[in-house]
Amino acid sequence: MLDFEEDNIVTEPDAATLPAAGARGGGFGAAQEAKYMVAQEPDDNVVATRTYDLSITYDKYYQTPRVWLFGYSELGSPLSPEQTFEDIIQDYAQRTVTIDPHPHLNEPHASVHPCKHSAVMKRIVENLIAGGSEPKIDQYIFIFLKFIGSVVPTIEYDYTMASATAGTGKG
C-alpha cells in the first residue's frame, strides 16, 4: 500500500489550480496575482418567473382537498389578485378560482373552489378504471394535483408518476 501511495503523489503544479489567497514566497503562483474568472451572461437570456406557495387544506363542507395559492413576482414581492389571475385560465379566473382568506394563514390567497372537486375526481378515477388501471389510494394526491394543473397550467409539478386514462394509454 505504501508503494501505491508514493506512486500517486502529484509533484508538479497544476495549471488549473489557483494559488491560495495571500500566498507569498517561492512556491507555484508566488509571482502571479490571484485572478478569478467571472462568468457573465447578458440579462436578456434570463427568464424571470413567478413563484407560488401552494397549500392544501381539507374542506369539511365539501369533504375534499382545497388548494390555496400565494404568488410572488420575479423580485419576490407578493402578487396582487389581478397578477395572480394572469396565471390562471381565464375561464376559471374569478369563477372557480377566487381570492379568499386562507383558513390558517389569515391572508388572502387564490383558492380553487372545492364545489366540483369530488365530481371531477370521481370522473377521473372512473376513466382510469375504464382504461384498465385502478388507482391506489396513495395516488389520489398526484391525480388531484394533475387536475389542479388543468386549472392553473402555469404551475409545474413533479410528474414522476404517470396515470393512463381511458382511450389514451398515456399518462
Side-chain angles (χ1 to χ4, degrees):
M1 184 71 174
L2 185 60
D3 292 338
F4 177 76
E5 289 176 0
E6 289 177 4
D7 289 343
N8 288 316
I9 296 176
V10 177
T11 56
E12 61 273 344
D14 184 358
T17 305
L18 293 173
R24 299 184 195 277
F28 170 73
Q32 296 178 350
E33 188 177 312
K35 295 181 182 179
Y36 297 96
M37 291 179 29
V38 178
Q40 294 180 352
E41 295 183 17
D43 289 337
D44 59 351
N45 287 343
V46 176
V47 177
T49 58
R50 294 177 175 173
T51 57
Y52 281 87
D53 289 340
L54 182 138
S55 61
I56 301 173
T57 60
Y58 185 75
D59 190 288
K60 289 182 182 180
Y61 183 81
Y62 291 103
Q63 297 184 3
T64 63
R66 185 170 186 170
V67 174
W68 302 88
L69 304 165
F70 191 81
Y72 299 93
S73 72
E74 297 83 354
L75 302 174
S77 60
L79 295 178
S80 68
E82 293 78 22
Q83 291 171 313
T84 300
F85 286 134
E86 290 173 3
D87 294 335
I88 296 168
I89 293 178
Q90 290 305 304
D91 290 344
Y92 298 118
Q94 299 185 12
R95 293 183 190 117
T96 304
V97 179
T98 57
I99 303 296
D100 297 313
H102 191 285
H104 303 290
L105 302 176
N106 225 8
E107 294 178 325
H109 281 59
S111 170
V112 181
H113 197 272
C115 63
K116 302 289 183 189
H117 287 185
S118 61
V120 170
M121 288 302 295
K122 182 178 179 184
R123 190 170 49 229
I124 290 171
V125 169
E126 287 172 349
N127 286 343
L128 288 170
I129 292 170
S133 66
E134 188 162 343
K136 298 175 185 164
I137 194 72
D138 59 343
Q139 294 176 320
Y140 181 88
I141 193 71
F142 296 105
I143 296 167
F144 178 74
L145 288 174
K146 286 186 178 193
F147 155 59
I148 295 301
S150 69
V151 176
V152 189
T154 56
I155 295 179
E156 296 180 17
Y157 303 104
D158 178 10
Y159 288 114
T160 56
M161 178 181 288
S163 57
T165 57
T168 64
K170 295 180 181 177

